[in-house]
Amino acid sequence: MQTHLIPEKTPRSIFVYFRGLFYDVGNDPEGGYYARGARAAVWENFKDNPLFDISTEHPATYYEDMQRAVFCLCPLGWAPWSPRLVEAVIFGCIPVIIADDIVLPFADAIPWEEIGVYVDEEDVPNLDTILTSIPPEVILRKQRLLANPSMKQAMLFPQPAQPGDAFHQVLNGLARKLPHDRSVYLRPGEKILNWTAGPVGDLKPW
């Protein structure tokens, strides 16, 4: 992904961007089950809308195009999660999350409500109205948050691991499940958790 970065000041000339399946004919020949119809609704309602750059084709410039878009659609498929959420955060494209029952990761590091736009699956036919009604100052605020390097770091697994990366976020989430006193958890502003601060018993292998 790093090899596809373009200059930060490149204008975002695409309003809404999506590349992927709208129908899964092979596994859902009659339609209606795949993505609970949400992707099909995107295509049927907006395939001819000039504000929507949507297609099943996956161009070689996919990552570059995301960096030229204001909003990137992240609809559910057969499961609520989509790699587009990671790609959107990395490339500073405001994720439009269309998955009613999704549980998003790393809430300590990524304020999903502030950087993204949630759209109920039943409201997909109103996507154009929903997105065009967002004030420019709100869009700019979301873009500024997405530009924060720590936000991108929290979604990546660099080798070797680095403080604040996705591996660290996973460990922090697991630490919260241990029977520790709350004072042991990672506090706001802290980058590294002291793993030896808990009960001695927690240091023993299970």
Side-chain angles (χ1 to χ4, degrees), residues 81-92:
W81 178 256
S82 165
R84 292 174 187 82
L85 281 163
V86 177
E87 294 164 348
V89 171
I90 297 302
F91 293 126

Side-chain angles (χ1 to χ4, degrees), residues 107-129:
D108 290 342
I110 302 176
W112 293 103
E113 296 277 355
E114 296 179 40
I115 66 168
V117 176
Y118 287 81
V119 176
D120 291 341
E121 293 165 24
E122 65 179 9
D123 292 333
V124 166
N126 304 317
L127 255 179
D128 54 347
T129 302

Side-chain angles (χ1 to χ4, degrees), residues 178-180 195-206:
L178 293 173
H180 286 161
W195 303 107
T196 65
V200 175
D202 285 347
L203 300 178
K204 298 177 181 177
W206 279 269

Side-chain angles (χ1 to χ4, degrees), residues 1 4-8 10-20 53 57-75 82-96 143 146 152:
M1 297 176 79
H4 291 272
L5 291 174
I6 63 177
E8 291 183 6
T10 301
R12 291 189 177 267
S13 55
I14 302 170
F15 190 63
V16 180
Y17 187 75
F18 176 79
R19 290 294 185 274
D53 187 345
E57 296 179 3
H58 200 290
T61 57
Y62 174 68
Y63 286 149
E64 288 81 0
D65 292 343
M66 291 188 84
Q67 295 170 79
R68 296 186 179 96
V70 177
F71 296 103
C72 288
L73 300 184
C74 303
S82 165
R84 292 174 187 82
L85 281 163
V86 177
E87 294 164 348
V89 171
I90 297 302
F91 293 126
C93 187
I94 298 171
V96 180
Q143 290 175 332
L146 284 166
K152 306 177 191 302

